[in-house]
């Protein structure tokens, strides 16, 4: 009996243990916890208990962060596939390289249709393409095609939205599924989702798009461009706001933002949180919700106060007086604020997750912007405070370089896009990132000339180390996590020069000035060779009539046997082997000492024009335009190529960078080639030319002479005239040549006007500098002077 009770007790105990083990959680809820605790417990339901989740969001809603206006991943994917059906496109798979083999990289724009309206911005883009050196009016020569249909604004609520684009582009016989086509776009999608749906199938076309999302970007194929307004200048553009007297880099405000605050919809999260970092002292963050038609319908408790504070500060003043500018996303990833901050030298602090930055394939944005995370907004103030002042100044300088080189005009934005595509076609002759991110920039460093840095005139004097950079793309990190970039050691230009003389004398005999000039130049121990460009239809004199020299003397036949082929003197002839070119006219008068000293000066300034005869430009306030003068003044901005040193790279830049139409204009105007070469070099370097010492004063004038062709005479050759007032008798002229023909001055004025119009601004820079040898004209022993003959009459 006792044994039976014992077994019953053990069985009951085991049963309770098994019950607690398998059903203990349910029993605790209904038996052991009081009702109040059980009710509190039900506020934390199990995710598997559907009956207790009625007040929570569905899993699909959770993926859109609770905002029904945001597209779900499935919607974004569907929109992406509707645009990028050729999502795996690369240059190797969706671009026909064979079209570029015969004629090179040439760009054709479809003829504009009268019944098809174009926005102001797209009209500027097409004009920029037609102004580029790659444009061709012949589609048979084209490697790349650009539509005449305006595809910039693909928001179907916009008045500039073009309907039925699919039908229109498929009707073009050259469309070919979009192959070898380039499509520009600034706005895509519409309210409320703002997806990247363009409303038509781009096929295999390259997409140059603003506000590019990284997930949709096809690396090595598409191009991200900046968002610019319709008022963005066609060419030229305004200068940046950082000047030499703008240091120290620390300004009144550390960090600023002034802009719209979206109360609902995409982009509202970031801008709604910006007020948290505002301290009213060195950090100013102002927003307004007073925009749109129904803003009062959605206004919150902060709106009224924000609107009042918003009016207390001027936007332009904040840009001028702040070190960093917050650039948050708007409805789309990009905004006009990005270019505005670059121009103002206000370092952009980007809060736009997933934005493919403009031209990131070429531009190292880690040297110019700070990329933040939208979710880490509160860390922004402490992150920018720890950036060293030297680093801040380096950032500001880089913003100015990038603005001027790639973004200050529509021309530069479009030409940068074309150059990036061109580099993809010839990767073995493409620009390095160093060339893209260092003065003067990728647009002015032609890879057709060379891909070796030492062959260009801009990088000889660059030594030392680049300031340390932030992490890749400038992402926010701790203050100490910077790293040094390897230094680039400069080199020196060649120690010899090539004398390049343009001759146009009759064939029967050589003039006495050119014989003296050849003897003087060949006497320089820096001279490597003498090249004579023979620009006459008649053959040059036989070799026996040319003077004997200690250096090779070569006669080069001009490419065009006409007297007006003035730009032939700047053709990149293969015979020019040295870095330095001494450009001369046949009637120039120089001594060996003058040549030696000028060359020594040029070796210290290889990127500039260094020479003797000078002229200048000025602003004519009465006529409201730039004026040109040959009078002797204290300022100079032009060194005539009748006697000047410059780097041979400028021959290639003159012939390849400048469009053919501009060179044809120069051929038709007297002495315009001198002005154009000086304008080109000044546009590249942002520096004036350099005038050097001249030996003596020539009182005689150049006599009138017979030109290359029979009966062609009466006026001196271009570049032979020296500065003198118009309509005045001959005067004392220093250095080289005789009097200016008064009939040339109106043509030179016309030349300057047209060049300013083409460049969009005045590139020439004035200077009051003249370089003399040490002890020049000092009352000391001649033995102490290196160039004593410069002082002899």
């Amino acid at each position: 009996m006792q044994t039976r009770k014992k077994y019953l007790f053990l069985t009951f105990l085991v049963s309770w243990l098994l019950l607690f083990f398998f059903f203990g959680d349910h029993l605790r809820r209904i038996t052991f916890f009081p009702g109040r605790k059980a009710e509190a417990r039900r506020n934390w339901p199990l995710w598997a208990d559907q009956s207790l989740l009625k007040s929570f969001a569905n899993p699909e809603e959770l993926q859109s962060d609770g905002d029904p206006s945001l597209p779900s991943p499935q919607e974004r994917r569907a929109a992406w596939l509707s645009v990028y059906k050729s999502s795996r496109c690369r240059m190797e798979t969706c671009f026909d390289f064979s079209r570029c083999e015969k004629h090179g990289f040439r760009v054709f724009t479809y003829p504009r249709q009268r019944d098809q309206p174009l926005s102001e911005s797209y009209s500027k883009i097409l004009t920029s393409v037609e102004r580029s050196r790659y444009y061709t009016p012949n589609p048979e020569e084209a490697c790349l095609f650009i539509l005449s249909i305006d595809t910039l604004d693909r928001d179907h609520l916009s008045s500039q939205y073009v309907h039925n684009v699919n039908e229109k582009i498929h009707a073009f016989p050259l469309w070919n599924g979009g192959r070898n086509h380039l499509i520009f776009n600034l706005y895509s999608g519409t309210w409320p989702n703002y997806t990247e749906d363009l409303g038509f199938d781009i096929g295999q076309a390259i997409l140059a798009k603003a506000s590019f999302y990284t997930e949709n970007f096809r690396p090595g194929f598409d191009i991200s461009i900046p968002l610019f307004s319709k008022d963005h200048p066609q060419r030229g553009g305004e200068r940046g706001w950082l000047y030499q007297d703008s240091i120290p880099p620390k300004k009144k405000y550390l960090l600023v933002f002034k802009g719209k605050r979206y109360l609902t919809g995409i982009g509202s999260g970031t801008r709604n949180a910006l007020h948290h970092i505002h301290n009213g002292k060195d950090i100013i963050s102002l927003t307004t919700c007073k925009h749109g038609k129904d803003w009062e319908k959605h206004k919150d408790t902060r709106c009224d106060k924000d609107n009042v504070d918003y009016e207390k500060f001027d936007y332009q003043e904040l840009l001028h007086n702040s070190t960093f500018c917050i650039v948050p996303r708007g409805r789309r990833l990009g905004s006009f604020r990005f270019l505005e901050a670059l121009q103002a030298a206000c370092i952009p602090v980007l809060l736009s997750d997933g934005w493919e930055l403009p031209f990131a394939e070429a531009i190292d944005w880690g040297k110019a912007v700070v990329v933040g995370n939208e979710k880490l907004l509160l860390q922004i103030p402490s992150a920018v405070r720890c950036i060293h002042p030297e680093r801040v100044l380096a950032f500001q300088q880089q913003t100015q370089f990038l603005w001027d080189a790639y973004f200050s005009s529509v021309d530069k934005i479009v030409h940068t896009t074309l150059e990036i595509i061109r580099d993809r076609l010839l990767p073995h002759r493409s620009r390095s990132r160093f060339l893209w991110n260092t003065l003067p920039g990728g647009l002015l460093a032609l890879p057709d000339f060379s891909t070796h840095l030492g062959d260009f005139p801009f990088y000889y004097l660059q030594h030392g180390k680049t300031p340390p950079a932030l992490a890749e793309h400038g992402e926010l990190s701790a203050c100490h996590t910077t790293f040094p970039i390897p230094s680039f050691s400069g080199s020196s230009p060649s120690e010899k020069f090539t004398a390049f003389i343009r001759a146009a004398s009759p064939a029967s005999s050589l003039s006495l000035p050119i014989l003296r000039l050849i003897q003087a130049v060949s006497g320089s121990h820096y001279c490597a060779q003498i090249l004579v460009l023979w620009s006459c239809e008649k053959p040059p004199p036989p070799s026996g009539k040319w003077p004997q020299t200690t250096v090779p003397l070569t006669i080069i036949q001009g490419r065009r046997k006409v007297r007006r082929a003035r730009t032939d003197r700047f053709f990149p002839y293969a015979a020019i082997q040295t870095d330095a070119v001494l450009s001369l006219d046949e009637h120039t008068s120089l001594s060996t000492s003058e040549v030696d000293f000028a060359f020594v000066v040029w070796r210290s300034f290889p990127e500039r024009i260094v020479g003797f005869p000078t002229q200048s430009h000025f602003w004519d306030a009465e006529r409201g335009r730039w004026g040109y003068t040959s009078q002797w003044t204290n300022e100079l901005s032009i060194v005539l190529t009748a006697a000047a040193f410059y780097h041979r790279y400028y021959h290639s830049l003159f012939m390849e960078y400048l469009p053919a139409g501009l060179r044809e204009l120069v051929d038709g105007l007297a002495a315009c080639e001198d002005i154009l070469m000086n304008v080109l070099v000044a546009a590249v370097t942002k520096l004036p030319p350099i005038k050097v010492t001249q030996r003596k004063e020539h009182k005689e004038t150049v006599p009138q002479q017979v030109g290359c062709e029979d009966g062609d005479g009466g006026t001196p050759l271009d570049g032979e005239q020296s500065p003198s007032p118009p309509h005045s008798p001959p005067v004392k002229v220093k250095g080289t040549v005789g009097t200016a023909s008064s009939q040339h001055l109106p043509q030179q004025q016309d030349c300057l006007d047209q060049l300013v119009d083409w460049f969009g601004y005045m590139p020439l820079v004035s200077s009051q500098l003249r370089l003399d040898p040490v002890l020049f004209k000092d009352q000391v022993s001649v033995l102490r002077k290196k160039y004593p003959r410069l002082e002899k009459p």
Side-chain angles (χ1 to χ4, degrees), residues 450-471:
S450 177
T451 56
H452 177 58
L453 297 178
D455 291 336
F456 293 92
F458 317 116
Y459 313 115
Y460 292 123
L461 305 179
Q462 296 194 19
H463 297 277
K465 293 186 177 181
T466 305
L470 286 175

Side-chain angles (χ1 to χ4, degrees), residues 259-328:
K260 298 177 182 178
R261 176 164 67 92
Y262 304 121
L263 298 173
T264 59
I266 190 170
S268 61
T270 302
R271 297 206 175 197
N272 273 330
L274 287 174
H275 73 280
H276 290 295
I277 63 174
H278 175 81
N279 63 14
K281 297 178 182 178
D282 62 342
I283 299 179
I284 305 297
S285 181
L286 306 171
T287 60
T288 178
C289 45
K290 192 177 180 180
H291 60 89
K293 297 180 180 179
D294 55 351
W295 69 272
E296 293 183 344
K297 177 181 176 182
H298 301 284
K299 64 181 294 188
D300 55 21
T301 55
R302 286 184 18 231
C303 275
D304 292 334
K305 182 179 184 304
D306 287 352
N307 293 340
V308 173
D309 294 339
Y310 185 85
E311 301 297 334
K312 294 180 180 179
F313 291 84
D314 179 72
Y315 178 64
Q316 296 294 326
E317 182 182 351
L318 289 176
L319 285 179
H320 273 283
N321 293 283
S322 180
T323 305
F324 296 90
C325 285
I326 299 177
V327 183

Side-chain angles (χ1 to χ4, degrees), residues 75-217:
E75 292 173 333
R76 289 201 301 266
R77 179 69 177 173
W80 180 71
L81 290 176
S82 68
V83 179
Y84 305 94
K85 294 182 179 178
S86 301
S87 58
R88 297 184 179 180
C89 267
R90 297 295 182 268
M91 294 296 291
E92 297 79 8
T93 59
C94 295
F95 196 91
D96 185 3
F97 286 79
S98 63
R99 292 198 63 100
C100 312
E101 293 176 354
K102 185 176 181 180
H103 300 285
F105 183 61
R106 312 292 290 174
V107 184
F108 172 78
T109 59
Y110 281 65
R112 305 186 189 186
Q113 302 174 2
R114 294 182 179 179
D115 60 340
Q116 184 65 56
L118 293 179
S119 65
E120 185 177 350
S121 296
Y122 198 65
S123 179
K124 289 180 180 179
I125 288 177
L126 295 181
T127 301
S128 297
V129 174
E130 294 165 358
R131 283 167 45 85
S132 75
R133 61 193 181 104
Y134 297 123
Y135 174 71
T136 176
N138 185 2
E140 298 298 326
E141 299 178 355
C143 167
L144 187 68
F145 300 86
I146 298 178
L147 298 174
S148 60
I149 299 176
D150 191 345
T151 57
L152 289 187
D153 194 341
R154 301 307 298 162
D155 184 343
H156 64 78
L157 298 179
S158 171
S159 59
Q160 297 180 342
Y161 181 83
V162 179
H163 297 272
N164 304 320
V165 173
N166 255 333
E167 293 77 3
K168 294 177 180 179
I169 61 177
H170 284 89
F172 294 139
L174 297 173
W175 175 244
N176 191 25
R179 205 171 183 84
N180 287 54
H181 279 68
L182 174 64
I183 294 176
F184 286 92
N185 174 255
L186 294 181
Y187 308 97
S188 62
T190 187
W191 172 268
N193 297 333
Y194 293 96
T195 60
E196 298 196 355
D197 183 10
L198 301 183
F200 67 97
D201 180 15
I202 66 173
Q204 297 180 343
I206 300 172
L207 184 58
K209 185 180 182 304
S211 305
F212 229 133
Y213 191 44
T214 52
E215 290 187 5
N216 300 337
F217 182 76

Side-chain angles (χ1 to χ4, degrees), residues 540-553:
S543 58
K545 292 190 175 183
W546 292 92
Q548 298 296 320
T549 60
T550 58
V551 296
L553 176 63

Side-chain angles (χ1 to χ4, degrees), residues 20-40:
F20 271 101
F21 182 78
F22 289 104
F23 304 102
D25 184 69
H26 185 68
L27 289 174
R28 281 193 302 271
R29 277 209 257 172
I30 63 176
T31 306
F32 296 99
F33 290 92
R36 186 174 182 181
K37 290 186 177 181
E39 189 70 6

